[in-house]
Amino acid sequence: MPLLTTARFHTTVAALHQLPRDGVVEVAFVGRSNAGKSTAINVLCNRRRLAFSSRTPGRTQALNYFSVGPADRVLGYLVDTPGYGYASAPLETKHTWDQLAGRYLQDRPQLAGVVLLADVRRGLTERDLRLIDWVPPSTRLAVALTKSDKLSREQARRTLRTVGAELARLRPGAADSVLLFSALNRSGSDELARVVENWIETGLPGSPQPPAA
Ligand code: GDP
């Protein structure tokens, strides 16, 4: 069974001291509100309502943990972070995001990789760039340009190249990946699922590889 389809809700973390202490590898999903993050998580895990977006901006300022692996053995966590970037969100909400999700991204040893979801029609926003800046160089990063069905193939490819160039400038030498994704026609979903599963299976950069079976 594909690893991500085993995803089930694990816990909600509203403050840093509640983060799991079991050392299990984590992959975080980040993106501005409405980027299509919840939809993408559901497509990747082949579930209808595993993750759901809060319709009220900034309402769910918490990290939602989903575990993957056999029922009796957690192999990794998918961590859904609150959407950001609502211009109308109160300053307090922005502060909460920085204090919880921002600090989590910057200082979480078991964080193997970050998936940044961005609407292909917008490309990377200032806020996305600031967030990318927070991801440690040793943590892997994939940018999924969502809703690719909304643009022509040529337009989508142009954004793909632009974002690839931005990443190469921001994180030189990092093996980041950028891909086009559509929940509507599922393009890019197998590719993104493989990236995430690979991060979970290979563990943390620099950590010993699991013994070959
Ligand atoms: P979130 O706030 O980032 O979790 O965003 P959602 O997953 O709730 O998606 C925001 C809106 O975009 C919803 O109306 C989705 O139906 C729509 N959406 C998400 N992914 C796609 C996609 O790949 N294609 C299209 N056309 N719409 C999408």
Side-chain angles (χ1 to χ4, degrees):
M1 198 192 326
L3 183 61
L4 298 187
T5 65
T6 63
R8 60 264 181 194
F9 177 76
H10 179 68
T11 190
T12 292
V13 168
L16 290 169
H17 67 86
Q18 298 168 342
L19 286 166
R21 291 163 195 237
D22 48 20
V24 168
V25 168
E26 298 174 358
V27 172
F29 290 78
V30 299
R32 44 179 297 131
S33 301
N34 215 39
K37 179 165 55 64
S38 317
T39 309
I41 292 173
N42 291 335
V43 166
L44 288 174
C45 299
N46 204 18
R47 297 279 290 283
R48 276 220 289 191
R49 269 179 68 82
L50 186 64
F52 33 88
S53 56
S54 88
R55 298 274 164 224
T56 316
R59 209 191 58 193
T60 44
Q61 290 292 311
L63 309 176
N64 281 307
Y65 271 67
F66 304 98
S67 51
V68 295
D72 57 348
R73 198 156 62 97
V74 176
L75 295 179
Y77 291 123
L78 309 180
V79 183
D80 188 13
T81 65
Y84 52 79
Y86 260 106
S88 61
L91 263 182
E92 193 191 317
T93 302
K94 292 179 184 164
H95 181 70
T96 310
W97 201 98
D98 290 1
Q99 287 302 310
L100 178 65
R103 286 176 63 190
Y104 163 79
L105 289 177
Q106 292 172 81
D107 186 20
R108 183 67 172 160
Q110 53 270 69
L111 183 61
V114 174
V115 179
L116 170 66
L117 292 306
D119 188 322
V120 71
R121 294 168 297 176
R122 276 178 180 266
L124 298 179
T125 64
E126 281 300 314
R127 197 84 205 274
D128 294 326
L129 295 172
R130 184 156 75 103
L131 188 143
I132 288 171
D133 208 37
W134 285 349
V135 178
S138 58
T139 302
R140 287 162 288 190
L141 176 70
V143 175
L145 297 169
T146 58
K147 312 187 192 183
S148 64
D149 54 274
K150 297 261 194 191
L151 292 184
S152 72
R153 191 179 273 245
E154 181 48 41
Q155 286 172 314
R157 290 238 169 109
R158 202 175 307 141
T159 307
L160 187 70
R161 285 194 294 272
T162 307
V163 170
E166 278 176 295
L167 282 182
R169 182 174 53 78
L170 289 168
R171 291 166 48 94
D176 298 338
S177 47
V178 193
L179 54 92
L180 294 170
F181 184 92
S182 166
L184 206 68
N185 60 32
R186 303 216 159 204
S187 65
S189 75
D190 286 350
E191 190 183 347
L192 186 56
R194 272 199 301 274
V195 167
V196 172
E197 288 177 352
N198 180 262
W199 288 346
I200 292 170
E201 281 158 6
T202 58
L204 301 169
S207 68
Q209 297 289 306

